[in-house]
């Protein structure tokens, strides 16, 4: 793929400063880019690398333009990170080919309903009464068990297991080895005190539209009723979402974070990496939980929480500062 600087300028709706006849073939970091690659400056830290970069053109946020000399072609935009997302989509390689058909080595139950232009790879198992809507792509070695539904144009990568009765929306992406609908974690001591009694989970998982779930992440089914992931949620790799959790719209959970059972997240909540949330906790809309934090109680809308146990970020920073002062005395 080759694109001129004029084509890229038009795509980004950027202000172009400087000319070049180079045909650009890709993107890279400032310190690694060649003269046929575009790079980005989105922070003042990155601006320091400008003079030593070999990039053929640089996309820069307009509030940082004064930090560079302009001897390399610049594409000035309001937000370099969002511009980068557009260019990554432009240069994205084609996905691995899979024929729009059912592979002979896939097993599809006779009662399953398969829509138009569906791709089902080798080694897949599609159970009884499963509904797969049009243009779904299922890569090899995926299992979808009985009475589940997969929405329009969802893409499911190898190794994913979708357990019985799960309901998946349209335009979702499940990466390698995602687990949807496994039993929730529930045990009680037996009456004689000599063992543990397993709590059966008879509910399901309901996932909205345009949800993306990273590799090796797990969403457990509800004890009864449903574990719910709202439209537009983005889940990183190695994330655990326990039984009966409810996520609102467009929540973000970073890698290694986890929700215990019956946690509720409002719309737009952000959970940082390795953060953990206690069971039966509600985190209201727009709150942010910093990486590594442990939330032990409800969080009000819009709050930023930090630390273990978590408290409001300003309070926690003052607490840490006071502890450091005590250590110096």
């Amino acid at each position: 793929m080759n694109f001129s600087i004029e084509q890229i300028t038009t795509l980004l709706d950027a202000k172009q400063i400087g000319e070049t006849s180079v045909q650009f073939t890709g993107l890279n970091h400032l310190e690694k880019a060649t003269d046929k690659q575009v790079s980005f400056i989105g922070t003042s830290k990155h601006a320091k690398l400008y003079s030593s970069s070999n990039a053929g053109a640089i996309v820069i946020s307009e509030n940082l333009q004064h930090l560079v000399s302009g001897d390399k072609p610049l594409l000035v935009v309001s937000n370099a990170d969002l511009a980068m997302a557009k260019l990554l989509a432009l240069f994205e390689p084609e996905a691995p080919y899979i024929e729009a058909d059912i592979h002979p080595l896939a097993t599809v139950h006779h009662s399953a309903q398969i829509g138009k232009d569906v791709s089902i790879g080798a080694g897949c198992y599609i159970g009884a009464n499963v509904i797969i809507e049009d243009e779904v792509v299922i890569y090899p070695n995926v299992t979808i068990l009985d009475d589940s539904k997969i929405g329009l144009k969802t893409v499911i990568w190898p190794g994913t297991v979708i357990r019985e009765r799960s309901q998946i929306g349209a335009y979702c992406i499940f990466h390698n080895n995602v687990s949807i609908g496994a039993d929730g974690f529930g045990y009680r001591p037996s009456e004689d005190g000599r063992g543990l009694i397993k709590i059966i989970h008879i509910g399901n998982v309901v996932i909205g539209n345009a949800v993306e779930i990273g590799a090796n992440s797990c969403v457990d089914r509800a004890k009864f009723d449903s574990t719910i992931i709202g439209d537009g949620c983005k889940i990183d790799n190695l994330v655990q979402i326990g039984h009966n959790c409810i996520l609102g719209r467009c929540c973000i959970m970073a890698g290694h974070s986890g929700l215990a059972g019956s946690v509720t997240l409002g719309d737009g909540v952000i959970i940082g990496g390795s953060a953990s949330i206690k069971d039966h906790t509600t985190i209201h809309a727009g709150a942010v939980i910093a990486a590594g934090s442990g939330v032990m109680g409800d969080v009000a809308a819009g709050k930023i929480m930090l630390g273990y146990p978590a408290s409001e970020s300003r309070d926690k920073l003052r607490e840490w500062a006071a502890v450091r002062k005590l250590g110096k005395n």
Side-chain angles (χ1 to χ4, degrees), residues 233-251:
C233 288
K234 310 301 179 186
I235 311 299
D236 197 359
N237 300 339
L238 296 166
V239 170
Q240 163 65 19
I241 297 175
H243 62 88
N244 289 95
C245 288
I246 298 175
L247 277 64
R249 296 179 64 255
C250 297
C251 296

Side-chain angles (χ1 to χ4, degrees), residues 129-207:
N129 303 312
V130 168
I131 298 173
I132 298 178
E133 295 188 344
D134 296 349
E135 298 182 59
V136 168
V137 177
I138 304 173
Y139 281 94
N141 299 317
V142 168
T143 297
I144 303 174
L145 293 183
D146 302 6
D147 302 305
S148 294
K149 180 180 178 181
I150 311 297
L152 177 74
K153 291 189 175 182
T154 285
V155 177
I156 305 173
W157 289 90
T160 292
V161 175
I162 299 174
R163 290 281 299 272
E164 60 274 20
R165 303 186 302 280
S166 297
Q167 302 293 303
I168 313 300
Y171 301 96
C172 293
I173 302 172
F174 296 163
H175 291 278
N176 306 351
N177 301 314
V178 165
S179 171
I180 304 293
D183 278 0
F185 186 71
Y187 298 89
R188 294 292 182 271
S190 61
E191 291 182 359
D192 61 10
R194 299 179 64 183
L196 296 172
I197 303 299
K198 180 177 175 61
I199 305 299
I200 302 299
H201 288 68
I202 63 172
N204 72 341
V205 173
V206 176
I207 293 179

Side-chain angles (χ1 to χ4, degrees), residues 32-250:
K32 295 181 179 180
T34 69
D35 60 354
K36 291 186 178 182
Q37 293 178 315
V38 179
S39 196
F40 303 87
I41 295 176
T43 68
S44 57
K45 176 183 176 181
H46 293 131
K48 297 174 183 178
L49 300 172
Y50 171 82
S51 59
S52 61
S53 177
N54 292 319
I58 294 176
V59 178
I60 187 169
S61 297
E62 58 188 354
N63 64 320
L64 301 172
Q65 184 184 345
H66 67 283
L67 298 177
V68 301
S69 61
D71 57 349
K72 298 179 180 67
L74 294 176
L75 300 176
V76 183
V77 296
S78 58
N79 187 311
D81 286 339
L82 294 180
M84 178 172 60
K86 291 182 180 179
L87 283 186
L88 285 168
L90 180 67
F91 284 100
E92 181 182 16
E94 290 188 11
Y97 175 75
I98 179 170
E99 189 173 355
D101 200 354
I102 300 172
H103 194 281
L105 296 179
T107 300
V108 179
H109 194 274
H110 65 83
S111 63
Q113 300 178 40
I114 310 298
K116 298 178 181 177
D117 299 320
V118 169
S119 302
I120 301 177
C124 290
Y125 175 82
I126 311 298
N129 303 312
V130 168
I131 298 173
I132 298 178
E133 295 188 344
D134 296 349
E135 298 182 59
V136 168
V137 177
I138 304 173
Y139 281 94
N141 299 317
V142 168
T143 297
I144 303 174
L145 293 183
D146 302 6
D147 302 305
S148 294
K149 180 180 178 181
I150 311 297
L152 177 74
K153 291 189 175 182
T154 285
V155 177
I156 305 173
W157 289 90
T160 292
V161 175
I162 299 174
R163 290 281 299 272
E164 60 274 20
R165 303 186 302 280
S166 297
Q167 302 293 303
I168 313 300
Y171 301 96
C172 293
I173 302 172
F174 296 163
H175 291 278
N176 306 351
N177 301 314
V178 165
S179 171
I180 304 293
D183 278 0
F185 186 71
Y187 298 89
R188 294 292 182 271
S190 61
E191 291 182 359
D192 61 10
R194 299 179 64 183
L196 296 172
I197 303 299
K198 180 177 175 61
I199 305 299
I200 302 299
H201 288 68
I202 63 172
N204 72 341
V205 173
V206 176
I207 293 179
N209 300 319
V211 171
E212 184 164 359
I213 301 181
N216 298 295
S217 289
C218 303
V219 182
D220 291 344
R221 70 176 177 229
K223 187 181 299 180
F224 26 73
D225 203 5
S226 300
T227 300
I228 299 173
I229 311 294
D231 293 348
C233 288
K234 310 301 179 186
I235 311 299
D236 197 359
N237 300 339
L238 296 166
V239 170
Q240 163 65 19
I241 297 175
H243 62 88
N244 289 95
C245 288
I246 298 175
L247 277 64
R249 296 179 64 255
C250 297

